Structure formats: structure tokens, C-alpha cells
Amino acid sequence: MSIDDKIYTAHNKSRKRKIKMTLLVILIIFFLLITAGCISNEEKEVETTGVETPSDMIDGALDFAKDLKNLDVSISIDLYNLADKFGSAKDDKEIEEIAVDYYSENAWIDKIIYYDAVTKERLDIPIQIDTELDSYLPHPTEEQLKLAGGNIHYDSVMIPEDGHVSVECAAVYDENGNYKGCFVFVYDLYVALNLHPMFMDTEKSYGNFICFCLDKNNKIVYSSKQEYIGETVDSYLNDGINVIKISDKESGAYTYKSASFYNYNRHFNTEKITDWEKFTAFKTTYTLYLTKELGQPPLIYNNIYDVNPDQAEKDVNDAYVYAVQKGNQALLDRINSGYYNTPMGILNYDGYVVSGFDNSLLGLNFLNNRGAYGYAYTKSMIYTAQQGGGYVYYMYPVDGTIDTQASQFSLGYIMPIPGDCFIFGRFSGYSDLIPKNVNIRNDVTSLSRAVLKDAYDNGADYVIDKISKNPHNTEVFTGNLTTNVEDLGILDYEGNIYASAYNPSVVGYTLTGYKDVYGGSTVRKLIMLAKSGGGYINELYPNPIKDGYVDLWLYSVEPIDDTYIVYTGAVIKTFEDISPDLAGLNLQ
């Protein structure tokens, strides 16, 4: 019961009069505090005004909806065709070959899992090592699959190693119509929209908008701001920056002001417009939010950020010592007070933001946070923290668009602290903005999966021998590469190298001690990724030709089996003078 209810129930006029006087005094004091500057009003909700929706935004919404519907149709056709192939397969080996063929040809897909209803066993492509993936995936029954017409789509399934992913399940029947089991696709909708064959080499008209896609439960299943995937809309709508709640107005679009939007123009006051639309795709109805900046300043590609790794390392080490001595809560208070010059936060090993950076991010899960090349770099942060700390590297997409060509090379310095958490201090590795090469990820993926398929077909020893006999030659596996993939090798889970196409002198050695420019072990990170089913990682090495220059690499990692791992890599960009300390950190 509220205070007013109690007053009216008691019919105590004198008491009511005293309460009103007390409230009046409190209001007067509060007003005086505000006018005196003792209370800031930083959380004031942004006012909105109705405006006419530009036709290009409407086109963008329609195009995005059309693309999702087309993707739905494309995946449904693939599900039907694969289910037919699985149903006619004679044994697990043939099913495995069918799955590997599809996996190797589709860079957008994360995993394929086949469930045999007779043996109650699962077949994973690629092989899953040291994970509990099965307990996190949905397990539809035969009856559920029948009622759904043979396949079921699941949004925002949370897998600890991958974040929120999309899952497609399809029933498999033999030639006599008997239920054999089902298989599932595990994939990231963000990656599918950028790497699915039907979207490659096409120009998306919605690429200039910030996009949020919500399911019927208001859960974000797609976002160009990746950290929001899997969250409910209420977790961020009130910050006045991203979108306006539909309930605020009956319809239309609204302009509003913000002091910060793009990372590259923080000092500008900009005006945005937000629109939304409901559409049906993936067998359900979604709400689509599109936000566009009006009067956007031109994109500048030089001298945007300061580079100061020394300060970041100093601040993170100080925070680590403070946490050990004073406790995590004391460190939280220190970070939140703005004590450090380095942008700093605390994440736990499940990827959730515990403190720091921006209060609007508290409680969000960053496992979905994607680099410019579409990989979850938070994984690398967690692995680095579990190994005792150090640097992580990633290409950070310029905030604001789905398909931006602008990205920035960023670094983070990490130290573990008590409570299964780690401190993350972030800073720029290079001041210029860098146009991303959208083909690099597709090429390193295509090559690693071509090697993987060859290993499944002919054995790992055959592939090791093939790499050794064809140095500097990737065309023996695939001839469809458009960029210069410059690293290809096979190693085991102890870090022993069995084949290297570009550096055969390392074969036979254990390279867990092989260091990048900041002293981290690349091979250990590759092994950690392989154990969780594979993935991507950035690494930084001295350029072998130019003294004082360093190369930023993108690596793709795939587990071949429980013994061998394949890795492929390509250089994203070569930097000069990225850090004043590089001269003393050459490879060991």
C-alpha cells in the first residue's frame, strides 16, 4: 500500500497536512541543491520530437526485412536438403562426411551437431573438446519437430564460450519414413548477414543505419552493437542514446540529441532519427529498430586517438594490486570514481560487465561483442586472464553501422583479480582509422576448413605430408582465395608443430613459448580456441623484413580431432612505431 493509500484509509487530516508540509520542505531543499550544483542531472531522459521518416530509412527497413526473409528461405532449403542426405546415409561415417562438406563450404556457420535417435549419441562438426555444448542446446522431441513442420528455429541461445547464438533444428527420416534423429546448425546471425553466400558481394542499403532486431519477447537477436545481443530491450532503452521506446509515441520517428555517438567524433553534438517496424521472418514476428545520424560529419581516417600503452599497463597493474590489498568492492569504487586515466572495467569469466567503462553497459554480456572482422574478442580476453594476464589485440568497428568500412586497431591490457574476474584497460594501438578488408576473414576460414575437410577425407597424416611437400602453396587445398593468406600449419594440443607451409624450420619444435611483441603466447591462445570448438584471434608480430615495423594478423583455428589443430593466418595491416617499448620485445 502506498503512503497516500495509508493516509486516506486512516482519514487523518492532521497527519496528512504534516506529510504534505514535509514533502514541500524536501522539494524545496532538493531544488536548492540542484540550483547550487550539488546534484548533477546526467541521467536526464532525452526529449523527443516527431519528424517525418526519410524515404531512405524506410527503404533500409524494408531491405533488412527482405534480407532476413531471404536468409530464412535459404537456410530452410539447406535444412531440407541436408535432412534428405542424412536420411539416406548408410552410417555415421557417411553422415559425418556430409556434415563436413557443408561446414567447409559455409564460413558463416559455427557448428553442426547430429543427433542419432537410436543410439542417443551426438556427432559434432568440428569435434568439440572440453565443452558442455550439448547441455546448452535445445533438444526438440520428434513430436515437437513434427508439429513445427520438420524444423524449429531458436533465437538467442546462450552458450558460454560463444555468447548468444541462433540455432536451427531439423528432423531426419530414413527412406521408409522412420525418424532417425535430427541435426542442428549453430550460427551467429551477425556473421550470417555478412558472410552468407547470398549476401557476399552485395551492397546492403541498410548498411548506413544502426540496427536492432527484437523477437516477440523483446530480446535482441541481432544488433550492429554486438554487446546488446541476448539482452532484453528494457536493459538499454532508457539511456536516451540508442532507440526510443515504441510506447513513448504511437508511431513515427523522432529526433534527439547526444553528446557522443561515433567513436571518431566524440566532440560533436549530433542529431539522429529513429524508426521501427514489425515484420515476419524466421517463422515469427520481429521488431526492427533503425537509427540514423542526420548531418553526420565526414569520416576522417587519421589522427583520431592517442596511443599510450605504458599508461594502460601502469593503471591496470595498480588496479590489480589495489584489488588484492583492498578487495574487489574497493576497486569498483575506485574505477567508478574516475581515478584512472585509462578507460577501465571489470568483467567476469562469463563475459558480463561488472564495473567501469559506461554505466549503461553494467550487467551486459560481452561474449557477443564482435571485432570488425566478426569474431568474439572477449574470448581472447578471458583466455588471457586465465593464463595470468597480458595484452589482447582486436580490430574495433567504428561504432554505429552494420557494414562500416572503418575500424580501429585497439589493444587491451588484462590482469586477473579474485572472484573469477579480470581488469580490462583499453587503449588505441594506432591513431588512424583503418578500412577493413571484408575478404580476409572469409579467406582464412575457407582455407582452414578446406584443410579440415581434406583431413576428414584422407586423414591428418595425409594433410601434414601435403603441407610439407607444397610450401607457400595454398591452392593444393583451395584456389578461391582473394587475399594473401600467409600462414598455414598443423599443431597438437601440447603446442608441437607438425607442418608449416610458410616456416618449415619450426616443424618438430614445441612453440608454446613463442611470443608476440607484447610477450604473450600465441600458440597457447590457439590451443584454447581449438578446445572450445575453434574461432578467430588477432596477433601482433614484428615484420620479418622491415625493422621497427609490426604486423597485425587475423588467425582462423579449427580442431581437426582430439589430437591436431589447423590454423591459418593473414596480415591485416603493417604498423610502424606502434609502441615505444617494441624494440625490446622481439620474438624469443
Side-chain angles (χ1 to χ4, degrees):
M1 184 179 290
S2 67
I3 292 178
D4 283 343
D5 290 336
K6 292 178 181 178
I7 291 172
Y8 283 115
T9 301
H11 298 287
N12 190 331
K13 294 182 180 180
S14 175
R15 185 181 174 203
K16 187 187 336 181
R17 198 160 37 245
K18 290 179 181 179
I19 290 175
K20 286 184 176 179
M21 289 299 296
T22 302
L23 290 173
L24 180 61
V25 171
I26 291 173
L27 287 173
I28 292 172
I29 294 172
F30 184 78
F31 176 78
L32 291 174
L33 285 171
I34 293 177
T35 55
C38 296
I39 297 178
S40 64
N41 195 25
E42 295 178 356
E43 299 301 320
K44 182 180 179 181
E45 189 168 344
V46 177
E47 295 182 0
T48 63
T49 56
V51 297
E52 184 178 353
T53 306
S55 60
D56 60 344
M57 175 169 279
I58 296 174
D59 291 341
L62 293 175
D63 285 351
F64 186 81
K66 180 181 178 182
D67 284 347
L68 270 185
K69 290 176 181 178
N70 288 341
L71 183 62
D72 182 19
V73 171
S74 178
I75 293 176
S76 295
I77 292 172
D78 285 357
L79 288 171
Y80 175 83
N81 289 335
L82 279 174
D84 189 52
K85 291 180 180 178
F86 287 150
S88 60
K90 300 180 181 64
D91 50 33
D92 282 353
K93 179 62 176 175
E94 192 170 339
I95 288 175
E96 187 176 27
E97 290 172 352
I98 294 169
V100 170
D101 283 345
Y102 184 86
Y103 179 79
S104 65
E105 295 172 0
N106 290 274
W108 59 274
I109 198 165
D110 283 351
K111 299 173 181 71
I112 301 177
I113 298 97
Y114 178 80
Y115 171 71
D116 190 317
V118 177
T119 65
K120 311 297 183 184
E121 294 180 351
R122 291 185 180 269
L123 180 68
D124 302 336
I125 306 296
I127 186 170
Q128 302 303 306
I129 302 171
D130 294 342
T131 66
E132 298 177 354
L133 178 66
D134 187 57
S135 62
Y136 296 102
L137 290 176
H139 296 80
T141 64
E142 179 185 1
E143 187 62 28
Q144 289 173 327
L145 287 165
K146 281 183 178 179
L147 291 173
N151 62 78
I152 304 175
H153 173 80
Y154 298 88
D155 277 321
S156 292
V157 177
M158 177 63 180
I159 298 178
E161 290 290 348
D162 297 317
H164 291 88
V165 296
S166 293
V167 176
E168 295 278 357
C169 295
V172 176
Y173 295 89
D174 64 20
E175 296 173 347
N176 297 319
N178 300 313
Y179 180 69
K180 290 183 64 174
C182 67
F183 70 95
V184 300
F185 285 173
V186 180
Y187 64 95
D188 185 325
L189 185 58
Y190 174 85
V191 175
L193 282 170
N194 285 279
L195 287 183
H196 191 280
M198 66 173 288
F199 294 115
M200 293 299 290
D201 302 319
T202 61
E203 185 175 337
K204 307 186 197 65
S205 63
Y206 55 86
N208 292 324
F209 301 99
I210 307 163
C211 181
F212 298 87
C213 184
L214 283 65
D215 68 10
K216 62 183 179 181
N217 297 317
N218 274 350
K219 182 176 286 188
I220 302 168
V221 295
Y222 174 85
S223 173
S224 54
K225 295 172 73 70
Q226 287 296 294
E227 62 266 30
Y228 293 113
I229 294 179
E231 301 299 324
T232 58
V233 67
D234 294 333
S235 66
Y236 73 93
L237 277 178
N238 293 327
D239 63 14
I241 293 176
N242 299 317
V243 297
I244 305 300
K245 285 186 289 190
I246 292 180
S247 59
D248 288 348
K249 303 286 182 180
E250 291 184 0
S251 63
Y254 306 93
T255 60
Y256 56 105
K257 300 278 186 180
S258 174
S260 64
F261 196 66
Y262 291 102
N263 280 344
Y264 64 85
N265 65 346
R266 296 181 183 182
H267 56 287
F268 289 102
N269 285 323
T270 57
E271 190 175 28
K272 275 78 58 187
I273 184 168
T274 300
D275 192 24
W276 51 83
E277 197 157 316
K278 286 186 179 291
F279 61 94
T280 301
F282 285 113
K283 312 168 190 68
T284 186
T285 298
Y286 290 92
T287 302
L288 171 68
Y289 290 87
L290 284 176
T291 300
K292 183 179 182 180
E293 185 176 25
L294 301 179
Q296 175 187 336
L299 182 61
I300 303 171
Y301 278 91
N302 62 325
N303 299 329
I304 305 299
Y305 299 94
D306 293 329
V307 181
N308 195 349
D310 292 340
Q311 183 67 50
E313 186 170 344
K314 178 182 177 183
D315 285 347
V316 171
N317 281 323
D318 180 86
Y320 164 76
V321 173
Y322 195 78
V324 172
Q325 293 179 345
K326 304 289 185 179
N328 286 6
Q329 185 57 52
L331 177 58
L332 293 179
D333 296 339
R334 174 174 272 199
I335 291 176
N336 290 333
S337 71
Y339 180 85
Y340 296 105
N341 292 324
T342 301
M344 191 180 300
I346 298 176
L347 281 72
N348 64 24
Y349 287 154
D350 291 325
Y352 286 92
V353 179
V354 177
S355 175
F357 301 136
D358 181 341
N359 286 335
S360 68
L361 302 181
L362 295 181
L364 293 184
N365 189 294
F366 266 44
L367 282 173
N368 287 101
N369 216 13
R370 302 282 165 172
Y373 288 87
Y375 62 90
Y377 56 78
T378 306
K379 267 189 181 184
S380 299
M381 296 180 186
I382 294 171
Y383 297 155
T384 302
Q386 291 172 338
Q387 293 293 317
Y391 285 94
V392 293
Y393 328 112
Y394 52 95
M395 295 296 292
Y396 191 81
V398 172
D399 196 13
T401 63
I402 298 170
D403 201 24
T404 177
Q405 295 301 302
S407 59
Q408 184 216 1
F409 172 48
S410 297
L411 293 91
Y413 188 70
I414 289 171
M415 287 293 288
I417 58 175
D420 290 332
C421 296
F422 63 90
I423 315 161
F424 168 46
R426 64 184 181 188
F427 60 96
S428 302
Y430 186 66
S431 61
D432 292 2
L433 291 181
I434 305 165
K436 68 179 180 183
N437 183 336
V438 295
N439 294 316
I440 288 180
R441 170 177 164 144
N442 194 52
D443 282 349
V444 295
T445 305
S446 295
L447 179 57
S448 64
R449 294 191 177 180
V451 174
L452 177 71
K453 182 180 182 304
D454 208 354
Y456 267 90
D457 291 342
N458 302 296
D461 291 338
Y462 173 84
V463 167
I464 290 171
D465 186 61
K466 192 172 182 177
I467 293 173
S468 301
K469 290 180 178 178
N470 296 276
H472 300 272
N473 184 1
T474 60
E475 291 190 359
V476 296
F477 295 103
T478 177
N480 299 321
L481 305 183
T482 59
T483 57
N484 189 20
V485 179
E486 301 175 70
D487 204 359
L488 165 62
I490 306 292
L491 72 156
D492 65 16
Y493 290 88
E494 302 299 323
N496 303 305
I497 304 295
Y498 291 83
S500 176
Y502 293 88
N503 192 8
S505 64
V506 301
V507 173
Y509 288 89
T510 303
L511 297 184
T512 50
Y514 196 68
K515 307 294 184 182
D516 61 26
V517 295
Y518 282 107
S521 171
T522 299
V523 170
R524 289 187 185 278
K525 296 175 189 176
L526 299 182
I527 292 170
M528 294 288 280
L529 275 176
K531 285 183 176 180
S532 65
Y536 305 87
I537 195 171
N538 280 132
E539 282 302 305
L540 197 64
Y541 288 110
N543 184 281
I545 300 174
K546 297 180 180 179
D547 188 31
Y549 287 75
V550 293
D551 296 327
L552 178 67
W553 290 75
L554 177 68
Y555 277 96
S556 171
V557 183
E558 296 277 5
I560 294 175
D561 50 29
D562 56 4
T563 301
Y564 297 110
I565 302 164
V566 57
Y567 62 90
T568 57
V571 174
I572 294 174
K573 187 174 178 62
T574 298
F575 301 97
E576 182 183 13
D577 297 331
I578 198 169
S579 164
D581 294 332
L582 285 183
L585 287 173
N586 291 325
L587 291 175
Q588 301 295 315

